[in-house]
Amino acid sequence: MDGILERIREDYRLRNRLIILVVLILIAAILGFLLNRKAGQKQAIAGSSFSFLVSIYDLTSPLGVATDADENIYVSNTGKSEVIVYDKEGVRQRTFNDTTDEKGDPLKFFSPYGIAVDDDSGKVYVCDYNWRGVRVLSKSGEFLYNLPKSPGDIPLDPNVGFAPFGIALGADNIYVTSKDGIYVFDLDGNYKTHWGTRGPAAGQYDFPNGIAADKETGNIFVADTNNRRIVSLDSDGKIRWMLGVSTKDDSTSVFQLPRSVAVGSDGLVYVTDTFWHRIVVIDQDGKLVSMFGERGTQDGQFSFPEGLAVSTSNRLYVADRQNNRVQIWQLSDSMPAVQPEDKMTWEESLTK
């Protein structure tokens, strides 16, 4: 009997040793993964060729991203109704939820989306489409005012209303997209005019999610999402060209669902095509330059990408919505080449 009890005790001790050993192995593996990931991030950030660099994780359905002259990163973490600021290395600094609104109440975001940063004035603009306005804050997170400044400032179609998705800062104007087109404000936030109505025809828009403005050329680029096209305008709102086809048949348009658009310091125009899980690069005349990305969860793959931004050092930031992260890429002249037949297809879709 004593021998049986001793064997039971020995089995129990052996099992405990095995459990401890397994736990130690798991801890070592996790620490190794984290250290390698951190080391890989530092190595990637130092790169200069076209490549995926690193991702910012721990987000929930991020829809918008922007950057400033210091390459701080501003993210609309829409699934958590918050706006988060990271430094250029992706280290979290603060949120914009720790302030008060125009009434002195705690500022709340409902569905933050497009973001723009004005380095000259130190202002940050956050579109909140379910709140139906644009929040304007300082870079430090202090609330300043709203766009529109009062509800009666802008004429609205009562059947459509104002639901801001994207925002862009031009040399003299602020451009905000809503369901039925583009609302134009001056740099002090005063309403000026509205371009477009809702529909599929030229000069109409259907849920244009993204917009970008090139201060050098004055050209404006709109991701006319439900019309499956990119529209380029001049500074007076006149159409320069349209790329894509307004149709319910996805196969007939070069874009399936363009969500966001950004202009780089090189003058190239970057577009997220959400349902094809890729980034499309075009020049200012609408000609295809490059395409990259595919659906997946690995580094460099996308799952329903949304907002994007390009920094002064040619870093591309992509809100990778379904992967709950923001990807950071290094752009260069060596971006993936496109096939001649692809270029021809895109040029045939260009309407001027």
Side-chain angles (χ1 to χ4, degrees):
M1 187 67 175
D2 290 341
I4 294 173
L5 290 174
E6 183 59 32
R7 283 198 299 273
I8 291 173
R9 293 190 187 98
E10 183 61 29
D11 290 343
Y12 181 77
R13 286 192 292 269
L14 179 61
R15 186 182 66 180
N16 285 345
R17 292 191 192 102
L18 288 173
I19 292 173
I20 292 172
L21 180 61
V22 169
V23 170
L24 290 174
I25 291 172
L26 287 173
I27 291 174
I30 292 170
L31 288 174
F33 170 78
L34 293 175
L35 289 172
N36 288 334
R37 177 175 166 184
K38 186 174 182 181
Q41 175 173 334
K42 289 181 178 179
Q43 182 179 4
I45 289 294
S48 59
S49 61
F50 173 79
S51 61
F52 164 81
L53 297 180
V54 71
S55 289
I56 299 172
Y57 290 92
D58 301 322
L59 297 166
T60 305
S61 298
L63 294 186
V65 62
T67 185
D68 62 19
D70 297 320
E71 299 197 2
N72 295 306
I73 307 161
Y74 302 76
V75 180
S76 287
N77 192 29
T78 310
K80 289 291 184 67
S81 299
E82 63 183 0
V83 175
I84 308 174
V85 184
Y86 300 84
D87 68 15
K88 65 183 296 184
E89 302 299 333
V91 178
R92 182 171 175 152
Q93 301 297 301
R94 61 187 178 277
T95 71
F96 276 0
N97 295 61
D98 300 326
T99 187
T100 55
D101 62 16
E102 66 278 9
K103 298 178 181 178
D105 298 326
L107 179 66
K108 293 182 179 180
F109 294 104
F110 291 83
S111 302
Y113 196 173
I115 306 179
V117 182
D118 186 348
D119 286 297
D120 293 333
S121 66
K123 295 175 182 176
V124 181
Y125 300 82
V126 182
C127 295
D128 192 335
Y129 61 90
N130 273 343
W131 183 76
R132 296 185 174 273
V134 179
R135 298 292 201 177
V136 185
L137 304 99
S138 68
K139 282 188 178 182
S140 61
E142 177 190 4
F143 171 78
L144 301 175
Y145 55 88
N146 299 312
L147 294 181
K149 291 184 175 179
S150 63
D153 285 353
I154 57 177
L156 293 174
D157 181 339
N159 297 316
V160 178
F162 184 60
F165 301 118
I167 185 165
L169 306 177
D172 301 307
N173 294 317
I174 302 167
Y175 305 97
V176 181
T177 61
S178 186
K179 298 176 184 178
D180 60 342
I182 302 160
Y183 291 80
V184 184
F185 301 82
D186 67 22
L187 296 182
D188 293 322
N190 301 305
Y191 172 76
K192 294 178 67 175
T193 189
H194 173 244
W195 297 336
T197 56
R198 189 173 180 183
Q204 293 186 310
Y205 302 90
D206 191 4
F207 281 80
N209 282 188
I211 188 167
D214 188 338
K215 293 182 180 180
E216 296 296 323
T217 64
N219 296 331
I220 300 163
F221 305 90
V222 183
D224 191 7
T225 302
N226 284 7
N227 283 327
R228 295 175 170 81
R229 64 191 179 194
I230 298 297
V231 181
S232 179
L233 311 169
D234 64 19
S235 57
D236 294 322
K238 181 180 177 181
I239 294 176
R240 299 177 61 240
W241 49 259
M242 295 187 297
L243 179 60
V245 180
S246 175
T247 175
K248 299 300 181 183
D249 182 0
D250 298 339
S251 63
T252 62
S253 180
V254 293
F255 289 106
Q256 199 169 52
L257 203 71
R259 285 283 201 188
S260 188
V261 60
V263 179
S265 57
D266 53 9
L268 293 177
V269 181
Y270 299 82
V271 182
T272 52
D273 197 345
T274 300
F275 277 2
W276 273 335
H277 314 283
R278 67 187 181 190
I279 308 300
V280 176
V281 188
I282 55 180
D283 67 16
Q284 298 225 354
D285 293 322
K287 295 180 179 178
L288 182 63
V289 175
S290 182
M291 291 186 293
F292 57 92
E294 60 182 359
R295 188 174 189 180
T297 60
Q298 301 301 311
D299 291 346
Q301 295 179 321
F302 302 105
S303 184
F304 298 95
E306 292 274 349
L308 78 170
V310 184
S311 74
T312 54
S313 65
N314 240 20
R315 285 185 185 174
L316 174 70
Y317 304 87
V318 183
D320 191 7
R321 184 185 78 202
Q322 291 299 96
N323 283 326
N324 295 311
R325 64 189 179 186
V326 168
Q327 291 195 37
I328 305 175
W329 290 68
Q330 181 64 55
L331 301 171
S332 74
D333 293 335
S334 62
M335 287 186 291
V338 294
Q339 299 300 315
E341 57 268 25
D342 290 330
K343 283 190 174 182
M344 184 177 299
T345 298
W346 287 66
E347 289 173 5
E348 289 173 350
S349 299
L350 198 62
T351 303
K352 295 186 177 181

